[in-house]
Each structure stands twice: as structure tokens, then as C-alpha cells.
Amino acid sequence: MKKQILVVDDEISILKLLNFVLSKDYELIIKNSGVEAIDWLEQGNDPDLIISDLQMPYFDGSSFVRNLKISGYYRDTPVILLSGAENLEEKINQMQIKVESFLEKPFNPATLKSRIEALLSTTEKQ
């Protein structure tokens, strides 16, 4: 059975790229906003990993991830943040929440795949 990855991004080009790069190896659940992603999670869904854009309208990636990490159930779900923002590492440190990995856009698909594989191999579901 394929591992399930929740992808949260509002950029169609990024969603198409992620689908092309990852759909062969993983089951992708695509959501266009943090609000849609939270709704999906509240229905009892439990992804193995989450990839989220940092900058989205309405409910941005930092708010989405903060809500995940303070929840009891999803706090151990690994998260990879994507962003085109400059000083991404600094912005993530300012969020004061644990994010397992981050990549600046544009990112190398091979780098993303290797980070996903590493995170999934070290965080098997209990």
C-alpha cells in the first residue's frame, strides 16, 4: 500500500509538478488551502506526511502547521514546507514550531523525494 501524502498549495504549477514527481510512489491528497486541509484532516484522515506551501491566502502555511503541531494527534506527522520567500529558514525559526524539513522554490524534485523517503523511513506510524 502506498504511503499517503497531503499536499497543500494554491499554485497549480507546483501541484502539477508534485503530482508528476510523486504520484507514482505515493498516494497524493491535494488541497488548495490550509482551510481545505484542516477540513480533510478533521474528517479523520491521517496522512503519513504533509507538504505545505508557506504562503497561501486566507489560512497560510504557518497557521496551518501551527494548528497541526499543537494538536495532539498530528504533532508527530512530518511536515515539509515549501516557499519562494527569501530567508525561509529564518521565517521558519520565527514560527517557533517544529518543522521537519523545508525547501525553497524552485526546488529540485530529486531533493524533495530524498527528504520524503528519509522522513517516512524514520517516522513509521505507531
Side-chain angles (χ1 to χ4, degrees):
M1 191 165 130
K2 289 182 179 181
K3 298 272 187 183
Q4 190 176 69
I5 298 176
L6 171 60
V7 177
V8 188
D9 202 312
D10 61 325
E11 287 183 53
I12 294 196
S13 59
I14 295 295
L15 294 174
K16 286 183 177 181
L17 173 64
L18 291 172
N19 189 52
F20 178 77
V21 171
L22 301 175
S23 63
K24 188 180 99 184
D25 300 313
Y26 303 102
E27 178 187 351
L28 298 183
I29 308 302
I30 308 280
K31 299 297 174 190
N32 294 308
S33 72
V35 173
E36 285 183 20
I38 290 289
D39 287 345
W40 183 80
L41 291 167
E42 286 178 345
Q43 294 171 19
N45 294 296
D46 186 17
D48 296 290
L49 184 133
I50 297 169
I51 298 172
S52 178
D53 186 18
L54 187 59
Q55 296 166 307
M56 295 181 287
Y58 311 116
F59 192 64
D60 67 7
S62 61
S63 299
F64 169 64
V65 172
R66 189 173 294 108
N67 280 326
L68 279 180
K69 295 301 184 176
I70 60 174
S71 81
Y73 195 74
Y74 297 106
R75 77 171 159 250
D76 295 326
T77 302
V79 173
I80 298 174
L81 278 179
L82 303 177
S83 180
E86 291 183 25
N87 305 321
L88 179 57
E89 186 170 7
E90 183 179 310
K91 286 183 175 160
I92 290 172
N93 288 335
Q94 290 170 357
M95 289 169 40
Q96 298 180 338
I97 53 173
K98 179 182 158 216
V99 175
E100 287 72 20
S101 189
F102 57 88
L103 288 170
E104 290 185 22
K105 295 177 185 177
F107 56 87
N108 181 324
T111 301
L112 176 63
K113 284 183 84 168
S114 68
R115 290 199 186 170
I116 290 170
E117 290 165 12
L119 287 169
L120 290 177
S121 69
T122 59
T123 59
E124 291 299 318
K125 292 245 183 244
Q126 302 299 320

